[in-house]
Amino acid sequence: ILNVEQSPQSLHVQEGDSTNFTCSFPSSNFYALHWYRWETAKSPEALFVMTLNGDEKKKGRISATLNTKEGYSYLYIKGSQPEDSATYLCAYGSSNTGKLIFGQGTTLQVKP
Amino acid sequence: NAGVMQNPRHLVRRRGQEARLRCSPMKGHSHVYWYRQLPEEGLKFMVYLQKENIIDESGMPKERFSAEFPKEGPSILRIQQVVRGDSAAYFCASSRPETSTDTQYFGPGTRLTVL
């Protein structure tokens, strides 16, 4: 059974704080790691797709790193804003078929 | 460029009825994926289709569920003789004709309620 674990499950921070979450995935048969941002009542929004060990991606105040050998990825948010409040999902692709295995998500609440 | 479209957004069915969920991928996308989110659970892969082909249906329940992506028209997820346990949010995603390294773009989902 392939398991993708995310921690913490939820997080409350003050506006302006920087924060990070973890995604753990099987290190064998790795193909790709996806990060999504999901606001309530909306579609999951794609943030990053990462494929190479050591990959670092950045989009505005959000960045992510990837370690395929030990099976983890970190998502960082610098200077959190209330509009960053959402659930952040990671998803692991282990083959070329496009099938993604999702973690349970980390729900971030940023207080003004 | 319109995003992934799903309809209906909300669907109510009585036990034993059929549910048909539609997904129109983004323009230029020929790969469609269906995921299900049961209450209090995460997104779970169901099926991956290309035009007129099912590529991976390892997440589909063996009975009552079927999916198709015809040459023309939207992808359809069909659930026959629905039961209360089928109540969930069903999400469709699409991607370009690449591999699992390509971004999957999600639709808004169809929330199925079985009475």
Side-chain angles (χ1 to χ4, degrees), chain B residues 41-97:
Chain B
E41 293 190 18
L43 286 169
K44 295 284 195 298
F45 170 82
M46 297 182 77
V47 62
Y48 163 39
L49 309 105
Q50 295 175 18
K51 286 281 186 183
E52 299 184 283
N53 279 311
I54 296 174
I55 306 302
D56 183 345
E57 56 181 346
S58 57
M60 286 276 271
K62 299 294 181 208
E63 295 176 351
R64 303 187 296 107
F65 284 72
S66 62
E68 62 177 9
F69 188 16
K71 191 176 179 181
E72 301 290 337
S75 175
I76 307 282
L77 180 68
R78 184 180 174 209
I79 312 172
Q80 294 178 288
Q81 298 173 348
V82 296
V83 301
R84 288 223 174 103
D86 297 332
S87 295
Y90 292 82
F91 290 89
C92 164
S94 73
S95 72
R96 296 177 304 173

Tab-separated table of all heavy atoms in Angstrom, chain B residues 41-97:
chain	number	residue	atom	x	y	z
B	41	GLU	N	-12.533	12.076	4.284
B	41	GLU	CA	-11.370	11.409	3.691
B	41	GLU	C	-10.718	12.294	2.638
B	41	GLU	O	-11.269	13.335	2.254
B	41	GLU	CB	-11.791	10.081	3.056
B	41	GLU	CG	-12.243	9.051	4.079
B	41	GLU	CD	-12.413	7.668	3.465
B	41	GLU	OE1	-11.873	7.427	2.366
B	41	GLU	OE2	-13.074	6.844	4.105
B	42	GLY	N	-9.535	11.888	2.175
B	42	GLY	CA	-8.835	12.647	1.142
B	42	GLY	C	-9.274	12.230	-0.245
B	42	GLY	O	-10.143	11.377	-0.423
B	43	LEU	N	-8.676	12.839	-1.242
B	43	LEU	CA	-8.956	12.503	-2.634
B	43	LEU	C	-8.377	11.133	-2.971
B	43	LEU	O	-7.207	10.869	-2.707
B	43	LEU	CB	-8.325	13.551	-3.563
B	43	LEU	CG	-8.998	14.908	-3.637
B	43	LEU	CD1	-8.117	15.902	-4.361
B	43	LEU	CD2	-10.345	14.808	-4.319
B	44	LYS	N	-9.204	10.291	-3.592
B	44	LYS	CA	-8.748	8.945	-3.974
B	44	LYS	C	-8.925	8.767	-5.477
B	44	LYS	O	-10.007	9.013	-6.015
B	44	LYS	CB	-9.566	7.871	-3.236
B	44	LYS	CG	-9.390	7.870	-1.740
B	44	LYS	CD	-8.074	7.258	-1.329
B	44	LYS	CE	-8.004	6.897	0.141
B	44	LYS	NZ	-8.123	8.011	1.055
B	45	PHE	N	-7.882	8.305	-6.130
B	45	PHE	CA	-7.904	8.054	-7.565
B	45	PHE	C	-8.932	6.973	-7.902
B	45	PHE	O	-9.045	5.961	-7.202
B	45	PHE	CB	-6.513	7.607	-8.012
B	45	PHE	CG	-6.439	7.085	-9.425
B	45	PHE	CD1	-6.341	7.959	-10.488
B	45	PHE	CD2	-6.492	5.718	-9.670
B	45	PHE	CE1	-6.271	7.474	-11.789
B	45	PHE	CE2	-6.431	5.231	-10.964
B	45	PHE	CZ	-6.316	6.114	-12.022
B	46	MET	N	-9.662	7.210	-8.990
B	46	MET	CA	-10.597	6.185	-9.459
B	46	MET	C	-10.162	5.625	-10.812
B	46	MET	O	-9.934	4.423	-10.961
B	46	MET	CB	-12.006	6.763	-9.587
B	46	MET	CG	-12.598	7.241	-8.271
B	46	MET	SD	-14.261	7.862	-8.500
B	46	MET	CE	-15.164	6.323	-8.653
B	47	VAL	N	-10.040	6.517	-11.809
B	47	VAL	CA	-9.808	6.029	-13.159
B	47	VAL	C	-9.102	7.103	-13.980
B	47	VAL	O	-9.267	8.304	-13.734
B	47	VAL	CB	-11.150	5.625	-13.814
B	47	VAL	CG1	-12.090	6.817	-13.936
B	47	VAL	CG2	-10.959	4.945	-15.158
B	48	TYR	N	-8.325	6.633	-14.961
B	48	TYR	CA	-7.601	7.519	-15.874
B	48	TYR	C	-7.981	7.101	-17.294
B	48	TYR	O	-7.869	5.934	-17.655
B	48	TYR	CB	-6.107	7.375	-15.614
B	48	TYR	CG	-5.166	7.875	-16.688
B	48	TYR	CD1	-5.418	9.039	-17.402
B	48	TYR	CD2	-3.991	7.182	-16.950
B	48	TYR	CE1	-4.524	9.486	-18.358
B	48	TYR	CE2	-3.097	7.610	-17.906
B	48	TYR	CZ	-3.360	8.767	-18.618
B	48	TYR	OH	-2.464	9.200	-19.563
B	49	LEU	N	-8.429	8.073	-18.087
B	49	LEU	CA	-8.875	7.770	-19.440
B	49	LEU	C	-8.210	8.692	-20.443
B	49	LEU	O	-7.921	9.852	-20.149
B	49	LEU	CB	-10.394	7.967	-19.577
B	49	LEU	CG	-11.299	7.313	-18.563
B	49	LEU	CD1	-11.840	8.334	-17.573
B	49	LEU	CD2	-12.456	6.639	-19.260
B	50	GLN	N	-7.984	8.163	-21.618
B	50	GLN	CA	-7.688	8.968	-22.786
B	50	GLN	C	-8.869	8.792	-23.738
B	50	GLN	O	-9.739	7.956	-23.496
B	50	GLN	CB	-6.390	8.509	-23.436
B	50	GLN	CG	-5.164	8.728	-22.556
B	50	GLN	CD	-3.905	8.168	-23.170
B	50	GLN	OE1	-3.834	7.910	-24.374
B	50	GLN	NE2	-2.891	7.971	-22.344
B	51	LYS	N	-8.886	9.541	-24.796
B	51	LYS	CA	-10.011	9.449	-25.731
B	51	LYS	C	-10.245	7.991	-26.149
B	51	LYS	O	-9.339	7.339	-26.680
B	51	LYS	CB	-9.730	10.282	-26.972
B	51	LYS	CG	-9.839	11.780	-26.749
B	51	LYS	CD	-11.268	12.255	-26.751
B	51	LYS	CE	-11.349	13.778	-26.671
B	51	LYS	NZ	-12.744	14.250	-26.612
B	52	GLU	N	-11.425	7.497	-25.857
B	52	GLU	CA	-11.890	6.162	-26.243
B	52	GLU	C	-11.104	5.021	-25.581
B	52	GLU	O	-11.245	3.864	-25.969
B	52	GLU	CB	-11.841	5.989	-27.762
B	52	GLU	CG	-12.739	6.980	-28.509
B	52	GLU	CD	-12.758	6.741	-30.008
B	52	GLU	OE1	-11.773	7.128	-30.677
B	52	GLU	OE2	-13.748	6.178	-30.487
B	53	ASN	N	-10.293	5.323	-24.584
B	53	ASN	CA	-9.497	4.276	-23.921
B	53	ASN	C	-9.479	4.474	-22.417
B	53	ASN	O	-9.326	5.587	-21.932
B	53	ASN	CB	-8.042	4.323	-24.403
B	53	ASN	CG	-7.873	3.638	-25.733
B	53	ASN	OD1	-8.318	2.521	-25.935
B	53	ASN	ND2	-7.210	4.324	-26.647
B	54	ILE	N	-9.626	3.374	-21.685
B	54	ILE	CA	-9.397	3.387	-20.249
B	54	ILE	C	-7.964	2.927	-20.022
B	54	ILE	O	-7.589	1.820	-20.421
B	54	ILE	CB	-10.383	2.462	-19.509
B	54	ILE	CG1	-11.807	2.978	-19.678
B	54	ILE	CG2	-10.015	2.379	-18.026
B	54	ILE	CD1	-12.863	2.043	-19.106
B	55	ILE	N	-7.152	3.789	-19.402
B	55	ILE	CA	-5.741	3.478	-19.225
B	55	ILE	C	-5.487	2.787	-17.877
B	55	ILE	O	-4.709	1.850	-17.783
B	55	ILE	CB	-4.875	4.748	-19.325
B	55	ILE	CG1	-5.156	5.484	-20.640
B	55	ILE	CG2	-3.395	4.407	-19.188
B	55	ILE	CD1	-4.922	4.667	-21.893
B	56	ASP	N	-6.140	3.285	-16.839
B	56	ASP	CA	-5.922	2.733	-15.495
B	56	ASP	C	-7.214	2.883	-14.717
B	56	ASP	O	-7.658	3.996	-14.485
B	56	ASP	CB	-4.772	3.501	-14.810
B	56	ASP	CG	-4.409	2.961	-13.425
B	56	ASP	OD1	-5.188	2.188	-12.846
B	56	ASP	OD2	-3.328	3.343	-12.916
B	57	GLU	N	-7.826	1.774	-14.378
B	57	GLU	CA	-9.069	1.834	-13.594
B	57	GLU	C	-8.887	1.123	-12.263
B	57	GLU	O	-9.846	0.590	-11.689
B	57	GLU	CB	-10.245	1.258	-14.371
B	57	GLU	CG	-10.046	-0.168	-14.849
B	57	GLU	CD	-11.233	-0.698	-15.649
B	57	GLU	OE1	-12.315	-0.074	-15.613
B	57	GLU	OE2	-11.067	-1.723	-16.305
B	58	SER	N	-7.668	1.146	-11.763
B	58	SER	CA	-7.363	0.396	-10.543
B	58	SER	C	-8.088	0.921	-9.308
B	58	SER	O	-8.209	0.220	-8.325
B	58	SER	CB	-5.849	0.405	-10.292
B	58	SER	OG	-5.373	1.739	-10.202
B	59	GLY	N	-8.602	2.155	-9.354
B	59	GLY	CA	-9.301	2.718	-8.205
B	59	GLY	C	-10.811	2.640	-8.306
B	59	GLY	O	-11.517	3.111	-7.403
B	60	MET	N	-11.308	2.055	-9.344
B	60	MET	CA	-12.766	1.983	-9.545
B	60	MET	C	-13.323	0.781	-8.785
B	60	MET	O	-12.799	-0.328	-8.895
B	60	MET	CB	-13.088	1.809	-11.028
B	60	MET	CG	-12.891	3.051	-11.833
B	60	MET	SD	-14.323	4.122	-11.773
B	60	MET	CE	-15.228	3.452	-13.157
B	61	PRO	N	-14.427	0.986	-8.059
B	61	PRO	CA	-15.121	-0.178	-7.496
B	61	PRO	C	-15.483	-1.150	-8.619
B	61	PRO	O	-15.775	-0.735	-9.736
B	61	PRO	CB	-16.362	0.433	-6.855
B	61	PRO	CG	-15.980	1.852	-6.574
B	61	PRO	CD	-15.071	2.250	-7.683
B	62	LYS	N	-15.451	-2.440	-8.301
B	62	LYS	CA	-15.627	-3.453	-9.356
B	62	LYS	C	-17.037	-3.474	-9.914
B	62	LYS	O	-17.255	-3.830	-11.073
B	62	LYS	CB	-15.296	-4.855	-8.796
B	62	LYS	CG	-13.874	-5.001	-8.309
B	62	LYS	CD	-12.868	-4.909	-9.436
B	62	LYS	CE	-11.466	-5.075	-8.914
B	62	LYS	NZ	-10.476	-4.377	-9.730
B	63	GLU	N	-17.993	-3.102	-9.102
B	63	GLU	CA	-19.385	-3.187	-9.553
B	63	GLU	C	-20.024	-1.808	-9.553
B	63	GLU	O	-19.665	-0.928	-8.773
B	63	GLU	CB	-20.174	-4.126	-8.628
B	63	GLU	CG	-19.674	-5.561	-8.696
B	63	GLU	CD	-20.387	-6.468	-7.706
B	63	GLU	OE1	-21.146	-5.951	-6.859
B	63	GLU	OE2	-20.177	-7.688	-7.786
B	64	ARG	N	-20.959	-1.636	-10.414
B	64	ARG	CA	-21.859	-0.469	-10.505
B	64	ARG	C	-21.198	0.787	-11.061
B	64	ARG	O	-21.902	1.709	-11.455
B	64	ARG	CB	-22.498	-0.137	-9.140
B	64	ARG	CG	-23.271	-1.289	-8.520
B	64	ARG	CD	-24.015	-0.842	-7.259
B	64	ARG	NE	-23.082	-0.412	-6.211
B	64	ARG	CZ	-22.880	0.844	-5.850
B	64	ARG	NH1	-23.539	1.832	-6.443
B	64	ARG	NH2	-22.041	1.130	-4.876
B	65	PHE	N	-19.898	0.873	-11.085
B	65	PHE	CA	-19.208	2.072	-11.563
B	65	PHE	C	-18.614	1.818	-12.947
B	65	PHE	O	-18.021	0.764	-13.190
B	65	PHE	CB	-18.072	2.456	-10.605
B	65	PHE	CG	-18.507	3.108	-9.340
B	65	PHE	CD1	-19.143	2.363	-8.356
B	65	PHE	CD2	-18.286	4.465	-9.120
B	65	PHE	CE1	-19.561	2.961	-7.169
B	65	PHE	CE2	-18.685	5.066	-7.936
B	65	PHE	CZ	-19.316	4.314	-6.958
B	66	SER	N	-18.768	2.809	-13.821
B	66	SER	CA	-18.113	2.735	-15.122
B	66	SER	C	-17.757	4.140	-15.575
B	66	SER	O	-18.347	5.119	-15.099
B	66	SER	CB	-19.016	2.048	-16.157
B	66	SER	OG	-20.206	2.790	-16.341
B	67	ALA	N	-16.792	4.234	-16.470
B	67	ALA	CA	-16.376	5.538	-16.979
B	67	ALA	C	-16.074	5.414	-18.453
B	67	ALA	O	-15.641	4.360	-18.932
B	67	ALA	CB	-15.145	6.036	-16.225
B	68	GLU	N	-16.309	6.504	-19.159
B	68	GLU	CA	-15.987	6.535	-20.566
B	68	GLU	C	-15.544	7.937	-20.957
B	68	GLU	O	-15.883	8.925	-20.292
B	68	GLU	CB	-17.193	6.131	-21.416
B	68	GLU	CG	-18.391	7.037	-21.286
B	68	GLU	CD	-19.526	6.627	-22.218
B	68	GLU	OE1	-19.455	5.565	-22.843
B	68	GLU	OE2	-20.484	7.419	-22.323
B	69	PHE	N	-14.791	8.007	-22.043
B	69	PHE	CA	-14.353	9.293	-22.590
B	69	PHE	C	-14.420	9.126	-24.105
B	69	PHE	O	-13.470	8.724	-24.750
B	69	PHE	CB	-12.937	9.606	-22.127
B	69	PHE	CG	-12.454	10.995	-22.466
B	69	PHE	CD1	-13.328	12.003	-22.848
B	69	PHE	CD2	-11.114	11.294	-22.378
B	69	PHE	CE1	-12.885	13.273	-23.156
B	69	PHE	CE2	-10.640	12.573	-22.670
B	69	PHE	CZ	-11.526	13.555	-23.064
B	70	PRO	N	-15.607	9.421	-24.678
B	70	PRO	CA	-15.795	9.159	-26.105
B	70	PRO	C	-15.003	10.116	-26.976
B	70	PRO	O	-14.493	11.151	-26.502
B	70	PRO	CB	-17.309	9.356	-26.295
B	70	PRO	CG	-17.712	10.264	-25.176
B	70	PRO	CD	-16.807	9.951	-24.038
B	71	LYS	N	-14.936	9.785	-28.239
B	71	LYS	CA	-14.210	10.618	-29.187
B	71	LYS	C	-14.761	12.041	-29.205
B	71	LYS	O	-14.021	13.023	-29.303
B	71	LYS	CB	-14.315	9.994	-30.584
B	71	LYS	CG	-13.401	10.599	-31.625
B	71	LYS	CD	-13.518	9.840	-32.925
B	71	LYS	CE	-12.621	10.476	-33.986
B	71	LYS	NZ	-12.739	9.766	-35.286
B	72	GLU	N	-16.072	12.141	-29.136
B	72	GLU	CA	-16.714	13.456	-29.081
B	72	GLU	C	-17.476	13.571	-27.763
B	72	GLU	O	-18.126	12.622	-27.338
B	72	GLU	CB	-17.713	13.611	-30.240
B	72	GLU	CG	-17.084	13.458	-31.624
B	72	GLU	CD	-16.173	14.609	-31.972
B	72	GLU	OE1	-16.338	15.705	-31.397
B	72	GLU	OE2	-15.259	14.422	-32.811
B	73	GLY	N	-17.427	14.719	-27.158
B	73	GLY	CA	-18.216	14.943	-25.948
B	73	GLY	C	-17.429	14.740	-24.679
B	73	GLY	O	-16.247	14.385	-24.694
B	74	PRO	N	-18.119	14.970	-23.548
B	74	PRO	CA	-17.429	14.926	-22.267
B	74	PRO	C	-17.148	13.500	-21.790
B	74	PRO	O	-17.701	12.528	-22.310
B	74	PRO	CB	-18.439	15.596	-21.317
B	74	PRO	CG	-19.769	15.270	-21.911
B	74	PRO	CD	-19.555	15.274	-23.399
B	75	SER	N	-16.326	13.400	-20.778
B	75	SER	CA	-16.147	12.136	-20.080
B	75	SER	C	-17.336	11.935	-19.141
B	75	SER	O	-17.854	12.898	-18.560
B	75	SER	CB	-14.846	12.152	-19.279
B	75	SER	OG	-14.720	10.979	-18.505
B	76	ILE	N	-17.780	10.711	-19.008
B	76	ILE	CA	-18.925	10.398	-18.156
B	76	ILE	C	-18.496	9.377	-17.100
B	76	ILE	O	-17.898	8.351	-17.435
B	76	ILE	CB	-20.091	9.778	-18.956
B	76	ILE	CG1	-20.474	10.650	-20.144
B	76	ILE	CG2	-21.280	9.479	-18.036
B	76	ILE	CD1	-21.301	11.846	-19.812
B	77	LEU	N	-18.820	9.675	-15.848
B	77	LEU	CA	-18.698	8.685	-14.776
B	77	LEU	C	-20.119	8.261	-14.425
B	77	LEU	O	-20.953	9.103	-14.095
B	77	LEU	CB	-17.995	9.278	-13.551
B	77	LEU	CG	-17.805	8.337	-12.362
B	77	LEU	CD1	-16.808	7.225	-12.697
B	77	LEU	CD2	-17.325	9.102	-11.130
B	78	ARG	N	-20.368	6.982	-14.534
B	78	ARG	CA	-21.721	6.463	-14.348
B	78	ARG	C	-21.751	5.543	-13.136
B	78	ARG	O	-20.905	4.635	-13.018
B	78	ARG	CB	-22.130	5.700	-15.598
B	78	ARG	CG	-23.535	5.175	-15.607
B	78	ARG	CD	-23.760	4.460	-16.926
B	78	ARG	NE	-25.044	3.789	-16.971
B	78	ARG	CZ	-25.295	2.700	-17.676
B	78	ARG	NH1	-24.333	2.134	-18.382
B	78	ARG	NH2	-26.493	2.161	-17.677
B	79	ILE	N	-22.708	5.784	-12.262
B	79	ILE	CA	-22.872	4.938	-11.085
B	79	ILE	C	-24.285	4.369	-11.143
B	79	ILE	O	-25.273	5.116	-11.095
B	79	ILE	CB	-22.686	5.712	-9.764
B	79	ILE	CG1	-21.406	6.563	-9.799
B	79	ILE	CG2	-22.635	4.728	-8.585
B	79	ILE	CD1	-21.253	7.501	-8.610
B	80	GLN	N	-24.371	3.073	-11.272
B	80	GLN	CA	-25.684	2.426	-11.342
B	80	GLN	C	-26.131	2.000	-9.947
B	80	GLN	O	-25.311	1.691	-9.078
B	80	GLN	CB	-25.602	1.187	-12.244
B	80	GLN	CG	-25.322	1.516	-13.705
B	80	GLN	CD	-25.193	0.264	-14.557
B	80	GLN	OE1	-24.212	-0.461	-14.467
B	80	GLN	NE2	-26.190	0.005	-15.380
B	81	GLN	N	-27.442	1.999	-9.743
B	81	GLN	CA	-28.045	1.519	-8.485
B	81	GLN	C	-27.315	2.097	-7.274
B	81	GLN	O	-26.774	1.362	-6.441
B	81	GLN	CB	-28.014	-0.013	-8.451
B	81	GLN	CG	-28.823	-0.641	-9.577
B	81	GLN	CD	-28.660	-2.157	-9.646
B	81	GLN	OE1	-27.789	-2.729	-8.999
B	81	GLN	NE2	-29.510	-2.792	-10.429
B	82	VAL	N	-27.328	3.419	-7.194
B	82	VAL	CA	-26.564	4.085	-6.141
B	82	VAL	C	-27.004	3.636	-4.758
B	82	VAL	O	-28.183	3.322	-4.523
B	82	VAL	CB	-26.649	5.623	-6.273
B	82	VAL	CG1	-26.006	6.085	-7.568
B	82	VAL	CG2	-28.080	6.114	-6.144
B	83	VAL	N	-26.026	3.647	-3.844
B	83	VAL	CA	-26.277	3.359	-2.427
B	83	VAL	C	-25.775	4.556	-1.626
B	83	VAL	O	-25.049	5.416	-2.144
B	83	VAL	CB	-25.553	2.066	-1.977
B	83	VAL	CG1	-26.026	0.883	-2.811
B	83	VAL	CG2	-24.037	2.208	-2.083
B	84	ARG	N	-26.174	4.598	-0.337
B	84	ARG	CA	-25.816	5.758	0.496
B	84	ARG	C	-24.305	5.951	0.558
B	84	ARG	O	-23.811	7.077	0.614
B	84	ARG	CB	-26.379	5.586	1.909
B	84	ARG	CG	-27.876	5.751	1.954
B	84	ARG	CD	-28.297	6.593	3.151
B	84	ARG	NE	-29.730	6.862	3.083
B	84	ARG	CZ	-30.630	6.245	3.812
B	84	ARG	NH1	-30.259	5.331	4.674
B	84	ARG	NH2	-31.909	6.563	3.693
B	85	GLY	N	-23.557	4.869	0.523
B	85	GLY	CA	-22.097	4.963	0.597
B	85	GLY	C	-21.445	5.600	-0.609
B	85	GLY	O	-20.242	5.898	-0.580
B	86	ASP	N	-22.240	5.820	-1.680
B	86	ASP	CA	-21.699	6.508	-2.864
B	86	ASP	C	-21.719	8.024	-2.692
B	86	ASP	O	-21.156	8.750	-3.523
B	86	ASP	CB	-22.514	6.145	-4.118
B	86	ASP	CG	-22.444	4.667	-4.458
B	86	ASP	OD1	-21.424	4.022	-4.124
B	86	ASP	OD2	-23.416	4.148	-5.066
B	87	SER	N	-22.374	8.501	-1.637
B	87	SER	CA	-22.420	9.948	-1.386
B	87	SER	C	-21.004	10.462	-1.172
B	87	SER	O	-20.285	9.995	-0.280
B	87	SER	CB	-23.262	10.255	-0.146
B	87	SER	OG	-24.610	9.907	-0.351
B	88	ALA	N	-20.601	11.392	-2.016
B	88	ALA	CA	-19.227	11.882	-1.993
B	88	ALA	C	-19.118	13.050	-2.959
B	88	ALA	O	-20.064	13.368	-3.686
B	88	ALA	CB	-18.251	10.779	-2.420
B	89	ALA	N	-17.940	13.676	-2.963
B	89	ALA	CA	-17.620	14.658	-4.001
B	89	ALA	C	-16.755	13.968	-5.048
B	89	ALA	O	-15.777	13.307	-4.697
B	89	ALA	CB	-16.886	15.846	-3.399
B	90	TYR	N	-17.141	14.103	-6.300
B	90	TYR	CA	-16.414	13.462	-7.398
B	90	TYR	C	-15.738	14.561	-8.220
B	90	TYR	O	-16.404	15.451	-8.743
B	90	TYR	CB	-17.375	12.640	-8.261
B	90	TYR	CG	-17.922	11.438	-7.538
B	90	TYR	CD1	-19.011	11.565	-6.669
B	90	TYR	CD2	-17.337	10.189	-7.682
B	90	TYR	CE1	-19.494	10.469	-5.969
B	90	TYR	CE2	-17.824	9.086	-6.996
B	90	TYR	CZ	-18.893	9.238	-6.136
B	90	TYR	OH	-19.372	8.137	-5.444
B	91	PHE	N	-14.430	14.457	-8.310
B	91	PHE	CA	-13.651	15.465	-9.023
B	91	PHE	C	-13.049	14.874	-10.284
B	91	PHE	O	-12.587	13.737	-10.309
B	91	PHE	CB	-12.526	16.009	-8.139
B	91	PHE	CG	-13.005	16.862	-7.014
B	91	PHE	CD1	-13.339	16.289	-5.789
B	91	PHE	CD2	-13.151	18.234	-7.170
B	91	PHE	CE1	-13.804	17.073	-4.743
B	91	PHE	CE2	-13.610	19.021	-6.128
B	91	PHE	CZ	-13.934	18.432	-4.916
B	92	CYS	N	-13.036	15.703	-11.294
B	92	CYS	CA	-12.412	15.347	-12.558
B	92	CYS	C	-11.201	16.263	-12.742
B	92	CYS	O	-11.232	17.432	-12.321
B	92	CYS	CB	-13.441	15.559	-13.661
B	92	CYS	SG	-12.783	15.610	-15.316
B	93	ALA	N	-10.152	15.731	-13.331
B	93	ALA	CA	-8.981	16.540	-13.673
B	93	ALA	C	-8.581	16.202	-15.104
B	93	ALA	O	-8.897	15.117	-15.611
B	93	ALA	CB	-7.828	16.254	-12.712
B	94	SER	N	-7.911	17.140	-15.746
B	94	SER	CA	-7.426	16.858	-17.097
B	94	SER	C	-5.993	17.322	-17.248
B	94	SER	O	-5.511	18.179	-16.487
B	94	SER	CB	-8.317	17.518	-18.154
B	94	SER	OG	-8.124	18.928	-18.201
B	95	SER	N	-5.299	16.740	-18.198
B	95	SER	CA	-3.925	17.148	-18.478
B	95	SER	C	-3.664	17.010	-19.967
B	95	SER	O	-4.442	16.395	-20.710
B	95	SER	CB	-2.928	16.295	-17.675
B	95	SER	OG	-2.866	14.981	-18.186
B	96	ARG	N	-2.563	17.601	-20.386
B	96	ARG	CA	-2.124	17.450	-21.772
B	96	ARG	C	-1.683	16.007	-21.992
B	96	ARG	O	-1.509	15.264	-21.025
B	96	ARG	CB	-0.967	18.406	-22.042
B	96	ARG	CG	-1.339	19.875	-21.937
B	96	ARG	CD	-0.132	20.739	-22.151
B	96	ARG	NE	0.944	20.415	-21.229
B	96	ARG	CZ	2.158	20.947	-21.295
B	96	ARG	NH1	2.443	21.811	-22.250
B	96	ARG	NH2	3.088	20.608	-20.424
B	97	PRO	N	-1.467	15.630	-23.218
B	97	PRO	CA	-1.018	14.253	-23.488
B	97	PRO	C	0.436	14.038	-23.102
B	97	PRO	O	1.285	13.789	-23.932
B	97	PRO	CB	-1.224	14.107	-24.993
B	97	PRO	CG	-1.221	15.491	-25.526
B	97	PRO	CD	-1.791	16.366	-24.443
